[in-house]
Amino acid sequence: MKFFRGKSDPKTVPKPNKKTIEHANRIKQYVDKQTSKLNEIEADDKTIQDGKQTEEKTDSPPAPAKQKKTSNAQASLEARIAKMNISEKQRLKILERFRRKEARRKSKGEKKKKQKKVTIEDFQTIKIIGRGAFGEVRVVRKRDDKAVYALKTMRKQDMIDKNQVAHIRAERNLLSAAESPWLVKLLFSFQDDIYLYLVMEYCAGGDLMTILMREDILTESQTRFYISELAEAIHSVHLLKFVHRDLKPDNVLISNQGHIKLSDFGLAKSFQSDDNVISQYQKQGSEIKEGADSTQKIKKVKKPYKRNRALMFSTVGTPDYIAPEVFSQKGYGEGVDWWSMGVILYECLVGYPPFYAEEPLQTCRKIVNYKRTLKIPQEAGLSREAKDLIYKLICTHKSRIGYAGITKHPFFAKCPWDKLETMTPPFIPELKNGVDTSNFDDFDAQQDLPEQHKKTEGAAQNKPFVGFTFVRPKAKKEKRSINNMFG
């Protein structure tokens, strides 16, 4: 028979004879039959696995019949394969696929057994290290792995009565979404019938207030270190579409290695609360404005400035770090955080906040009238760059510089913005052990935490906090979204 290259003429192609057609049909039937058997095996495999998963979901022990079916699953599969006219290679391939599926199923089942809800019963209190307007902060140790954390507790009824539900939800959402090294990390959040709990990494170095109380005044080099890291932390918050709005030295934590970690995002969301300091001063807006517009001189501070942590923790708080546009009730943006950073910068270099007064209302008047009241004492000996940065942060919101302007400012000319974590901190905490609390004040417990977990489904006080529970994944695959995170 001769073969020719090129296109063939359909008219010249011979039609297959009857014998060839019958042979092709037999081959097709055989292939269809084998494919059908393979599909049955797949279906049986899935049925067996579904049966096993159903057993795992029930609290009662599995029935003996199901146990027998599960234990004989591979033997049953091998028996079915033996009836098929397939090669040894194909048989081994089917069995290997079955074993892999079984291994994945068992692994998944073991993980589910290991994972249990985190509750207050999992933690042992070591010491109370802080008290805020709406809760307490404890150093705790997790009972199973002995890891040390900071536990923030808030009474649910207080959150509801003081209109703080939206604010604690925002704090939980921000912390769970944050992956920045400059923001304190949330590991777990959970609740019972009485309290809400936030379990965060423990920063044993205290906070910036601790350093300022000890050192009084920082050098420009030391200040540059803390303010550059604080700028990165503020920028991280803004990238998450949040504004902190409660920046002050107490909220700038110091990690075990000496770097900063920004914290406390709950009180910052409390501007609409009747108990919030800013709301209180906003209600007195006319009085503040009257004092600012009057021609009488602002009273000079008679008493020397003394840092008061108790005032910081109170519900009254201090307005020292609040931007003037907040008092106007005309709306404001992320620029309020850069103003607050400017005030902290001033305090680090001079030794006290620029608008300090004996009475909070008087402080507010000084802030609103900052063009007349902002003075940098000559004896402070600040460099031209430091003064310029202060004046470009503590100014009208229209001309206030933001993150881009800060990173390019001459004060930070020698600052390695792309590798701040490699900088050596001015003060590295000297810690005796992992539960060292020497950098925090002592507090007596006011919240009596339960010894046993109890959460009643459908209880009225639990409804506002649906979806509050969170466990940070050990292996991060992708950044979490801030939207619809609370549930």
Side-chain angles (χ1 to χ4, degrees), residues 303-308 356:
K303 296 180 181 179
Y305 174 72
K306 184 178 181 181
R307 293 183 174 88
N308 188 344
Y356 169 73

Side-chain angles (χ1 to χ4, degrees), residues 213-406:
M213 291 178 73
R214 184 183 69 232
E215 303 296 326
D216 193 30
I217 295 176
L218 302 182
T219 66
E220 289 195 11
S221 176
Q222 293 167 343
T223 300
R224 186 178 297 107
F225 173 88
Y226 292 115
I227 297 300
S228 63
E229 293 195 343
L230 179 56
E232 285 293 340
I234 294 170
H235 184 54
S236 298
V237 174
H238 293 172
L239 288 176
L240 291 171
K241 307 302 181 185
F242 275 77
V243 181
H244 192 286
R245 298 184 290 187
D246 192 34
L247 286 169
K248 53 190 177 184
D250 302 71
N251 293 338
V252 183
L253 301 182
I254 306 299
S255 71
N256 295 15
Q257 293 74 36
H259 294 274
I260 74 111
K261 296 269 187 180
L262 189 56
S263 71
D264 201 344
F265 303 92
L267 188 59
K269 296 293 291 181
S270 303
F271 292 164
Q272 303 303 318
S273 168
D274 291 338
D275 290 282
N276 185 264
V277 55
I278 294 175
S279 180
Q280 288 183 10
Y281 295 128
Q282 284 180 334
K283 289 178 180 179
Q284 301 172 1
S286 58
E287 193 175 346
I288 293 172
K289 186 176 180 181
E290 181 183 349
D293 291 342
S294 66
T295 56
Q296 64 180 3
K297 293 182 179 179
I298 302 292
K299 292 182 180 179
K300 292 184 178 180
V301 179
K302 294 181 179 180
K303 296 180 181 179
Y305 174 72
K306 184 178 181 181
R307 293 183 174 88
N308 188 344
R309 191 183 291 275
L311 179 60
M312 295 286 190
F313 282 138
S314 71
T315 54
V316 176
T318 173
D320 280 299
Y321 308 91
I322 299 174
E325 57 263 35
V326 173
F327 299 119
S328 68
Q329 295 181 291
K330 294 181 181 179
Y332 48 86
E334 61 186 32
V336 299
D337 286 343
W338 300 122
W339 168 286
S340 300
M341 192 184 81
V343 175
I344 296 173
L345 167 67
Y346 182 106
E347 183 174 357
C348 290
L349 295 173
V350 178
Y352 53 86
F355 308 109
Y356 169 73
E358 293 180 32
E359 297 295 330
L361 188 58
Q362 192 178 356
T363 296
C364 294
R365 287 173 178 167
K366 282 188 172 185
I367 292 172
V368 172
N369 198 39
Y370 69 90
K371 291 181 180 179
R372 286 199 295 116
T373 58
L374 178 59
K375 306 290 183 183
I376 300 177
Q378 189 175 356
E379 59 269 23
L382 302 191
S383 68
R384 182 177 59 185
E385 292 79 12
K387 291 179 182 178
D388 184 72
L389 180 59
I390 289 173
Y391 286 129
K392 285 184 176 176
L393 290 171
I394 306 179
C395 61
T396 175
H397 68 280
K398 294 181 181 179
S399 58
R400 192 177 305 150
I401 62 174
Y403 177 74
I406 291 167

Side-chain angles (χ1 to χ4, degrees), residues 3-183:
F3 294 91
F4 300 94
R5 294 182 183 274
K7 293 184 179 180
S8 61
D9 185 356
K11 295 180 181 180
T12 62
V13 176
K15 293 183 180 180
N17 56 34
K18 186 177 179 181
K19 204 175 217 181
T20 303
I21 293 173
E22 290 176 353
H23 181 68
N25 287 336
R26 284 197 298 271
I27 292 175
K28 185 177 181 299
Q29 289 174 2
Y30 174 80
V31 171
D32 290 343
K33 186 177 180 182
Q34 299 303 320
T35 302
S36 176
K37 288 183 178 181
L38 286 173
N39 289 337
E40 288 178 11
I41 291 172
E42 289 279 355
D44 285 351
D45 184 14
K46 187 176 186 304
T47 302
I48 292 170
Q49 292 185 31
D50 289 345
K52 291 178 181 179
Q53 289 173 0
T54 303
E55 290 177 30
E56 289 175 354
K57 290 180 181 178
T58 59
D59 294 329
S60 57
K66 287 189 176 182
Q67 275 190 333
K68 184 177 180 181
K69 184 177 181 181
T70 301
S71 59
N72 294 332
Q74 184 169 335
S76 175
L77 176 63
E78 290 179 342
R80 292 179 67 83
I81 294 174
K83 296 177 182 179
M84 299 173 60
N85 187 17
I86 60 175
S87 67
E88 179 66 12
K89 185 177 180 180
Q90 288 176 311
R91 187 184 74 83
L92 293 174
K93 187 176 180 180
I94 294 171
L95 288 174
E96 180 60 27
R97 183 173 56 184
F98 174 81
R99 293 190 190 101
R100 284 200 301 268
K101 286 186 177 181
E102 282 289 284
R104 285 196 299 269
R105 184 193 63 77
K106 289 180 181 178
S107 177
K108 190 175 180 180
E110 288 173 2
K111 285 182 180 179
K112 284 185 177 180
K113 288 179 181 178
K114 288 180 181 179
Q115 288 178 353
K116 70 182 189 70
K117 288 185 178 180
V118 178
T119 70
I120 190 59
E121 296 178 26
D122 297 314
F123 299 92
Q124 174 190 2
T125 297
I126 296 172
K127 184 181 178 181
I128 299 175
I129 59 171
R131 179 171 295 116
F134 307 106
E136 294 178 345
V137 180
R138 292 166 164 77
V139 177
V140 296
R141 180 186 279 116
K142 203 161 184 286
R143 297 183 188 277
D144 56 358
D145 58 9
K146 308 303 179 184
V148 178
Y149 301 105
L151 173 66
K152 183 176 181 179
T153 58
M154 296 146 287
R155 191 182 295 273
K156 282 185 173 181
Q157 200 57 52
D158 290 344
M159 297 290 101
I160 296 171
D161 294 343
K162 297 174 182 178
N163 299 322
Q164 296 298 304
V165 175
H167 309 139
I168 185 58
R169 289 170 67 160
E171 179 175 23
R172 180 266 187 206
N173 283 359
L174 192 154
L175 287 172
S176 60
E179 296 288 352
S180 170
W182 309 113
L183 305 182

